[in-house]
Amino acid sequence: MSAVIIGIEGTMLLAQEAALLHRPFCAGVILFSRNYSSPAQLKRLCATIRAQRPDALICVDHEGGRVQRFRDGFTAIPAMGAFGRCFDRRPLLACELAEAAGVVIAYQLRQFDIDFSFTPVLDLQDPASGVIGDRAFHANPTVVVLLADALRRGLRTVGMIAVGKHYPGHGRVVGDSHHTLPQDPRDADEREPDRYPFIRQIESGIEALMPAHIVFPQTDHRPASFSPVHLAELRALGFDGAIISDDLDMAGALDITDPAKRIQAALDAGADVTLMCNDFTAIHQALTRRYFHRDADASARRLAALRDQPFDAATLEPAYHAAQEKLRTHAAQLL
């Protein structure tokens, strides 16, 4: 039973990393800029991962803007906030461009046998959050929903699932959970606008969600990523997709010092799988341990739905080129 998606060190799969892929609780690999030097290299790396573990999840943070891990040889996707600014002037065009961006992201990643990107960001745009900022589409939750819907249409055109983040909303919270454990003291009524995009995406069938390493003390003293209260709330809203923890190496997760206990705490809270991205010692240590899911069969089903959807590059090529052309033609609208 898979429990953790791991980061790897460089542009080639090391022998000890190949061995980790065969551990029963390893779910797959998340890739970063350190794992990329060229398209040819990325193709070799993904093929090597698949040869070691055909059912591995291969994923990446490839949102666009400052969070785009692969650049040389890939289309530069604007930050999602650019689509929001365009929406304020030309809402129909903004949705068309967001859909085109989804097609380009998915097509370019799927060519390398990468299953999915962690996108879209469903947080609200607010100057209070430097870490989110223009990664968010807009400050208006209804606009976030419309643009996220459009991006997801583009992803689905190419057979890629979406992962919405960071539930129940990071955009209006001061502090970066990469470096600290932020707190949001607002009550549920005050946070309703932040939750709105997630609720609407659940209603429209989003396949996966990522909870935030943020404490909401009015609800629970634990970060949302470790909170049975928050993750049960997702299920109560009707969400039956995969819950994927944010990186358990981040400072917002380090109140639990033992990496294996961190993984188990997230699973106990209701996550289907976790991420451990950058602490390679912790990754090796964690994969020597056993883990237990609250509902192993349901988690296995949810994770299987994220894997390798059918992809026919030749059939999808016209849609891809049309999407690229739309983004090129209207690039000035996204400045």
Side-chain angles (χ1 to χ4, degrees), residues 123-140:
D123 304 314
L124 302 185
Q125 196 176 101
D126 191 302
S129 176
V131 69
I132 300 299
D134 68 355
R135 294 170 63 193
F137 285 110
H138 206 275
N140 184 322

Side-chain angles (χ1 to χ4, degrees), residues 69-84:
R69 305 305 187 196
F70 312 142
R71 295 195 178 271
D72 291 345
F74 281 77
T75 299
I77 302 296
M80 295 298 104
F83 299 96

Side-chain angles (χ1 to χ4, degrees), residues 115-314:
D115 291 305
F116 59 88
S117 167
F118 290 97
T119 191
V121 171
L122 299 177
D123 304 314
L124 302 185
Q125 196 176 101
D126 191 302
S129 176
V131 69
I132 300 299
D134 68 355
R135 294 170 63 193
F137 285 110
H138 206 275
N140 184 322
T142 301
V143 176
V144 173
V145 171
L146 292 170
L147 291 172
D149 281 343
L151 183 82
R152 286 178 53 214
R153 280 195 299 274
L155 297 175
R156 279 199 306 272
T157 296
V158 187
M160 181 173 280
I161 64 94
V163 183
K165 56 191 186 183
H166 308 80
Y167 185 80
H170 198 320
R172 291 177 167 174
V173 179
V174 176
D176 179 351
S177 53
H178 292 86
H179 307 298
T180 187
L181 178 55
Q183 299 220 0
D184 185 346
R186 295 175 299 160
D187 63 27
D189 289 346
E190 291 176 291
R191 292 192 291 103
E192 186 174 307
D194 301 71
R195 294 174 61 242
Y196 180 85
F198 295 92
I199 292 168
R200 291 292 172 259
Q201 292 301 297
I202 289 168
E203 290 173 348
S204 61
I206 195 167
E207 297 89 351
L209 291 172
M210 175 182 285
H213 292 321
I214 296 174
V215 173
F216 300 86
Q218 296 274 4
T219 306
D220 193 352
H221 67 280
R222 292 162 288 197
S225 44
F226 296 114
S227 169
V229 177
H230 285 289
L231 301 194
E233 181 179 65
L234 277 177
R235 298 304 183 200
L237 290 167
F239 179 60
D240 191 36
I243 297 175
I244 306 174
S245 86
D246 208 341
D247 181 9
L248 297 185
D249 295 336
M250 289 163 58
L254 295 183
D255 275 5
I256 304 173
T257 55
D258 182 287
K261 289 182 179 177
R262 254 177 271 152
I263 293 170
Q264 190 60 59
L267 297 176
D268 287 345
D272 297 293
V273 73
T274 64
L275 293 175
M276 193 163 280
C277 301
N278 302 304
D279 185 340
F280 304 114
T281 300
I283 289 168
H284 282 261
Q285 179 184 339
L287 283 173
T288 66
R289 306 280 279 277
R290 293 183 58 80
Y291 299 98
F292 303 92
H293 287 73
R294 292 171 58 169
D295 186 337
D297 289 342
S299 288
R301 169 179 54 79
R302 292 169 186 144
L303 295 183
L306 307 183
R307 288 189 175 93
D308 203 37
Q309 306 297 315
F311 175 68
D312 183 334

